[in-house]
Amino acid sequence: MIKINVVTPLGVLFEEEVEMIVFRNTEGEQAILENHIPVVVTLNPGYVRLKRNGETLYVTVVGGFLEFSNNIVTVIAQEAEVGRDHENALKHLEDLRKKRLEENRKRNIDFTRAERDIKEEIKKIKASKYL
Amino acid sequence: MARGEARDIRRKIRATEKMSQITKAMNMVSASKLRKAEKVIKEYRPFIQYVQNTIAQILNSNLEITHKMLQKREVKRTGYLLITSDRGLAGGYNNNLIKKFESDVKTKHQSTDEYVIGVLGQKGHRYFVYKDVNLININPINMRDDVQFIDIIDIIQLLIDMYLIGEIDEIIIYYNKYINTIKQEVTAERIIPIEKIEGEKKSILYEFEPSPQKVLDTLMPIYVQNLIYGYILNAKTSEHASRMTAMKSATDNAEEVIDKLTLHYNRARQAQITQEITEIVSGAAALK
C-alpha cells in the first residue's frame, strides 16, 4: 500500500492509503506502484489518479509537485482539488479563481465609492461652518 | 448658562462612552482575528518547509544545476514589495512602514528610475498612486483578512518575471514583522536572489522527472511565491496585533476622558444648584 498526502498552504487536504497512483503532467502519464524508486515530479498543471478499493479518485493540481519515497507520496500544491473526475476539477478551480477576483474588484469599487461619498460629506460639514 | 453647560458635558460623556464601546468591540474582533491568523501560519509552515527541503535536495544532489534566482548579479534596478493593510485604525502600522521605506530609498537611490514598487493593500496603494514613483500595479490589491493566494499571485508573478528577464536585479520586501502581540517591527528583507536554501539532509537518491533542471525551474517560482505568501501572513498577523493594541489604548484613553468629563459634569451640576439656590434666596430677599 502507498500512503498519499496532499498538502496545500491551507494545510493537509487529503490523507489516504491507496494501491496505485498514476500521475499526468505536461510530459505524459506514468504510474507508481509500491517500492518504486524515489522520484520527484512537477505537476504544473497536472493530476494524480488514485485507485482505492476499485474506486478512482483524481487529485487535480495547479502549481505543485509530487514526491515519492519509502512508499509515501506527498503532493505539494498551491491549489489542489480532490474529486471523481479531472476535467471538472480544473474548471472548478478556474471558476473559484475568477469568482474571487471578481469579488475583489467589486470590493475595490465599493470602497472607492464609499470613500468618495465620505469626502463629499466632509466637505458639506465644513461648508456648514461658514453659514 | 450653567444648566446648558452641564447638558453639553453629559452629551459628550455619552458620546465618548459609545466610542469606547466601539473601540472595545474592535479590540476583541482583532484579538480573535489574530488567533485565526496565527493558526493559518501554523498550517502554512510545514508546506514551505517541504518545498524548501525538496529544492535543497535537488541542489545538493547535482552541483551543476543552478537557477537565475540563486545567482547574484550587479544591482542596477531594485524591485520593492510593500505590504500594507486595506483598512486603517491600526496604529502606526502603515505609517511606520512607508516612513522607513522612503528614508531607505532616499539614502539608497538617486532617482526614481532606479527602482519599481509593488504595493499590496489599499492604504499603501492610495499613498503611492499619486506619487512620482514607478508603481507596477495600477489597481489596488486587496489584503483581506482571509487573504488567499489568488489575490496576490498576479503581482508576485509580475515581479518574478521582471527579475527573470532582467528588468530588476533584486526584490526586497517591506513588511511589519510579528514579534509578539505588543511588538511589531518594520523589516526589509531581500527575497531574490536567494542566498542559501537550507534543508534537512536526506540520504535518498531521487530521480527527477522530466529532468532536475526542469523540476528546479518549476519549483523556484513556486517557492518564491510561497515565501512571499508567508511574509504576507506574517504581516497580516502584525496588522491584527497592531490594531488590537491601538484599540486597547483608545479604549483606555476614552475611559480617562470619561473620568475627567464626569468630574467637570459634577462641578457644573453643583454650580447650577448653587446658582438656583442663590436665585431663590435673593428672590425671597427682594420680596421682604
Side-chain angles (χ1 to χ4, degrees):
Chain A
M1 287 300 251
I2 301 171
K3 211 176 154 222
I4 180 163
N5 288 317
V6 181
V7 188
T8 68
L10 300 174
V12 177
L13 184 75
F14 185 70
E15 223 174 345
E16 201 75 58
E17 292 222 322
V18 293
E19 294 142 28
M20 168 181 116
I21 69 157
V22 178
F23 63 82
R24 187 195 179 89
N25 59 8
T26 43
E27 304 288 316
E29 218 170 49
Q30 200 175 332
I32 293 179
L33 286 169
E34 228 173 309
N35 300 328
H36 193 281
I37 54 166
V39 64
V40 173
V41 191
T42 58
L43 300 165
N44 193 21
Y47 66 79
V48 181
R49 197 165 74 213
L50 325 163
K51 273 249 170 77
R52 185 194 59 180
N53 309 329
E55 192 186 11
T56 315
L57 282 178
Y58 287 88
V59 181
T60 309
V61 172
V62 177
F65 66 98
L66 174 155
E67 188 234 335
F68 178 87
S69 62
N70 299 329
N71 285 334
I72 296 169
V73 183
T74 315
V75 179
I76 303 286
Q78 267 160 10
E79 289 167 65
E81 201 182 273
V82 183
R84 268 173 219 289
D85 66 296
H86 157 66
E87 284 84 9
N88 281 345
L90 212 56
K91 216 177 129 217
H92 185 222
L93 282 178
E94 190 61 35
D95 278 354
L96 273 184
R97 184 186 293 245
K98 249 188 218 151
K99 214 169 128 197
R100 177 81 177 187
L101 288 179
E102 184 60 33
E103 203 179 298
N104 278 350
R105 213 172 55 87
K106 216 177 138 225
R107 270 170 83 106
N108 281 346
I109 292 170
D110 287 351
F111 200 73
T112 327
R113 205 169 279 158
E115 204 175 32
R116 197 194 55 206
D117 287 352
I118 203 166
K119 264 187 192 150
E120 221 158 75
E121 293 296 328
I122 289 171
K123 252 185 222 157
K124 273 181 199 161
I125 290 168
K126 273 188 188 156
S128 71
K129 275 187 191 162
Y130 299 109
L131 281 179
Chain B
M1 179 218 143
R3 173 173 292 162
E5 198 186 345
R7 206 198 295 132
D8 274 355
I9 293 172
R10 210 161 78 197
R11 198 183 293 148
K12 237 183 219 166
I13 290 174
R14 228 178 275 149
T16 319
E17 268 169 2
K18 286 242 171 72
M19 199 68 97
S20 81
Q21 271 168 11
I22 293 170
T23 52
K24 203 170 179 184
M26 281 180 82
N27 171 33
M28 282 186 308
V29 168
S30 290
S32 91
K33 277 183 179 168
L34 176 68
R35 271 200 298 278
K36 226 181 262 169
E38 276 173 342
K39 210 179 122 216
V40 172
I41 285 194
K42 219 178 258 166
E43 271 169 0
Y44 154 85
R45 248 179 222 139
F47 177 86
I48 194 77
Q49 195 58 46
Y50 216 98
V51 178
Q52 203 166 324
N53 281 345
T54 312
I55 291 174
Q57 190 79 30
I58 299 172
L59 294 173
N60 287 339
S61 69
N62 199 328
L63 292 173
E64 289 152 37
I65 289 178
T66 184
H67 195 269
K68 262 191 182 170
M69 287 182 192
L70 297 164
Q71 291 160 340
K72 243 185 175 172
R73 57 188 189 218
E74 198 199 334
V75 177
K76 292 190 199 100
R77 211 151 175 248
T78 310
Y80 290 105
L81 187 66
L82 311 184
I83 305 177
T84 64
S85 67
D86 264 4
R87 300 289 155 89
L89 290 182
Y93 182 80
N94 293 314
N95 277 345
N96 290 348
L97 188 125
I98 290 169
K99 225 184 270 164
K100 181 163 169 25
F101 171 71
E102 288 199 320
S103 77
D104 281 5
V105 160
K106 223 175 244 169
T107 53
K108 217 175 147 191
H109 301 290
Q110 268 88 45
S111 80
T112 52
D113 292 332
E114 287 175 20
Y115 59 92
V116 294
I117 305 175
V119 183
L120 300 173
Q122 305 223 7
K123 284 274 168 195
H125 185 265
R126 207 170 316 137
Y127 181 83
F128 283 107
V129 74
Y130 296 120
K131 293 245 162 182
D132 181 28
V133 290
N134 297 313
L135 201 66
I136 59 168
N137 52 318
I138 302 149
N139 291 322
I141 288 157
N142 289 64
M143 282 289 296
R144 294 165 58 166
D145 290 338
D146 56 336
V147 62
Q148 272 182 19
F149 213 81
I150 303 163
D151 305 338
I152 46 139
I153 183 84
D154 287 339
I155 187 163
I156 295 177
Q157 195 55 49
L158 184 64
L159 273 174
I160 291 173
D161 287 345
M162 279 173 96
Y163 177 82
L164 289 179
I165 60 169
E167 282 244 344
I168 51 178
D169 305 299
E170 61 174 351
I171 297 177
I172 294 174
I173 195 166
Y174 274 78
Y175 73 110
N176 280 275
K177 191 175 187 175
Y178 178 71
I179 295 163
N180 54 41
T181 324
I182 40 167
K183 195 166 183 225
Q184 298 91 36
E185 229 171 50
V186 179
T187 316
E189 257 167 72
R190 188 159 77 221
I191 297 183
I192 303 181
I194 302 162
E195 305 214 325
K196 210 175 168 199
I197 295 182
E198 303 264 357
E200 53 185 55
K201 290 250 180 344
K202 276 197 228 163
S203 52
I204 307 168
L205 215 61
Y206 281 98
E207 191 176 281
F208 296 103
E209 291 270 347
S211 70
Q213 184 65 56
K214 270 197 180 153
V215 172
L216 193 65
D217 284 350
T218 323
L219 278 192
M220 283 313 286
I222 292 177
Y223 175 61
V224 172
Q225 285 163 12
N226 282 297
L227 208 61
I228 296 174
Y229 181 62
Y231 284 118
I232 289 168
L233 291 183
N234 193 317
K236 202 76 216 172
T237 318
S238 295
E239 186 194 326
H240 291 315
S242 174
R243 182 166 294 133
M244 204 177 95
T245 335
M247 285 303 121
K248 176 92 180 54
S249 59
T251 314
D252 291 350
N253 285 345
E255 261 157 35
E256 217 170 274
V257 169
I258 288 170
D259 280 353
K260 235 182 239 167
L261 282 176
T262 314
L263 203 70
H264 278 294
Y265 170 68
N266 286 336
R267 217 172 269 161
R269 191 172 51 89
Q270 255 164 11
Q272 186 190 327
I273 293 166
T274 315
Q275 197 189 355
E276 266 170 28
I277 292 172
T278 322
E279 273 165 15
I280 293 166
V281 170
S282 56
L287 281 178
K288 265 186 194 165

